[in-house]
Amino acid sequence: MSAKLVVSSSPHVHSDFSTQKIMCMVILSLIPAGIMGVYFLGLRSLAVIAACIVACVLSEWAWQKFVMHKKSTVSDLSAVVTGLLLAYNLPPTMPIWMAVCGSIFAIIIVKQFYGGIGGNIVNPALAARAMMLISWPTAMTTWTLNGISGATPLAAMKAGQTVNLSVWNMMAGNMGGCIGETCSILLILGGLYLIWEEVISWRIPVVYIATTAILASLFGHGSALCEILTGGLLIGAFFMATDYTTSPMTAKGQYIYAFGCGLLTALIRTWGGYPEGVSFSILIMNVAVPLIDMYTEPRTLGAPKSNFFKRMGGK
């Protein structure tokens, strides 16, 4: 009987998914939307994507090899995903050197300073985008389509203008915006693929998208359809708010987190200083995740029920 007892440390439940396999699936789900971004916004988009990916991979490799003197983890492809997501959140006219600076910031400051993959407290790509928006606001808000500069649909709605775009153009991506956020139909299909493969849960993207669409339309910002199909809501909800490290672990926590993201996005889009609110909303809720996890963690079997303030260290 004792020979059948195996004593080992956690984890005791193992998955067939490795980090590399998960990242491969995320990359695969993102590629079609990127292709459409390059098609509509021009080959300059491809240069920005390549610069971000190469800069992220080289930054992670150099930091681990020459600073930390550790084995490189670039083979897990997490740096590639960070570079791809950052590039997808940039306009196609972004100067390459700025894209490289943002990539280095994402990998070294946001990711490696906190111990690498699994240790960062906010999403690296979104943190880099926020840094770049503060540092180079003009470059980050210059939008072109067919060589002509103009406002994005969200910026037009912010200014009280009517958005004259067909549903097809909004779904296909034939409009101004960041490289990877314009083709709504392919972002939705990519997100559904990740849900089908159980890489991500449906809770965060569905609640996030629904909350933003309903509240922003109630606040008078724009129609629910425009809120969903324009801007960075879809890429943020499916590919960045669902980041394992910076999202809650429990189902209840994920509902709270997603609702918070949607509420903040609707508030920023309607009354904030920026036409888009996805990046800052997810970053704010990333910081709140430890508190959400603390409040929603399951009670240990047999343990007394404690209130919120006791969990926070109060009396």
Side-chain angles (χ1 to χ4, degrees), residues 7-294:
V7 180
S8 63
S9 61
S10 61
H12 302 294
V13 179
H14 297 270
S15 170
D16 293 332
F17 284 152
S18 64
T19 301
Q20 187 184 67
K21 184 176 180 179
I22 291 172
M23 296 303 164
C24 279
M25 297 170 77
V26 173
I27 292 169
L28 181 63
S29 65
L30 283 168
I31 286 175
I35 292 173
M36 291 302 290
V38 173
Y39 175 77
F40 282 117
L41 302 177
L43 287 175
R44 184 67 168 64
S45 305
L46 193 59
V48 175
I49 294 173
C52 287
I53 292 175
V54 171
C56 281
V57 171
L58 289 179
S59 297
E60 183 159 303
W61 173 80
W63 178 266
Q64 292 176 329
K65 181 175 179 62
F66 299 113
V67 179
M68 301 303 296
H69 304 292
K70 294 167 52 178
K71 181 182 178 181
S72 175
T73 58
V74 294
S75 61
D76 65 16
L77 301 180
S78 61
V80 175
V81 171
T82 298
L84 193 59
L85 287 174
L86 176 58
Y88 278 19
N89 279 273
L90 300 179
T93 54
M94 196 73 194
I96 297 300
W97 70 268
M98 291 184 185
V100 170
C101 288
S103 301
I104 295 172
F105 179 88
I107 293 297
I108 295 181
I109 305 299
V110 186
K111 183 180 178 183
Q112 294 300 326
F113 272 20
Y114 289 89
I117 186 170
N120 49 285
I121 60 174
V122 294
N123 184 280
L126 286 180
R129 185 184 188 277
M131 180 278 291
M132 296 172 73
L133 187 60
I134 295 169
S135 302
W136 306 296
T138 302
M140 288 289 290
T141 54
T142 300
W143 316 103
T144 62
L145 181 64
N146 300 321
I148 301 173
S149 297
T152 61
L154 284 179
M157 286 191 288
K158 189 81 169 181
Q161 302 171 6
T162 303
V163 178
N164 296 316
L165 282 173
S166 67
V167 175
W168 169 249
N169 280 336
M170 287 191 289
M171 293 188 71
N174 189 17
M175 58 184 173
C178 294
I179 295 169
E181 71 179 19
T182 56
C183 187
S184 302
I185 184 64
L186 292 181
L187 288 172
I188 292 172
L189 290 175
L192 291 176
Y193 165 71
L194 294 181
I195 293 173
W196 175 264
E197 293 290 348
E198 298 183 344
V199 174
I200 63 173
S201 167
W202 61 269
R203 300 184 191 92
I204 292 175
V206 170
V207 174
Y208 186 1
I209 293 169
T211 302
T212 301
I214 294 170
L215 292 182
S217 59
L218 288 176
F219 294 160
H221 180 258
S223 68
L225 191 62
C226 284
E227 297 293 342
I228 294 172
L229 299 181
T230 61
L233 179 59
L234 291 175
I235 191 173
F238 283 114
F239 298 99
M240 291 182 282
T242 54
D243 177 28
Y244 293 164
T245 307
T246 57
S247 61
M249 294 181 290
T250 64
K252 185 190 295 185
Q254 289 171 4
Y255 288 126
I256 296 170
Y257 168 80
F259 177 79
C261 287
L263 173 62
L264 290 172
T265 300
L267 290 172
I268 294 172
R269 284 185 173 185
T270 307
W271 293 294
Y274 295 103
E276 178 62 277
V278 171
S279 297
F280 291 108
S281 300
I282 296 176
L283 288 172
I284 292 170
M285 292 308 297
N286 283 167
V287 177
V289 164
L291 180 62
I292 295 172
D293 279 337
M294 181 186 298

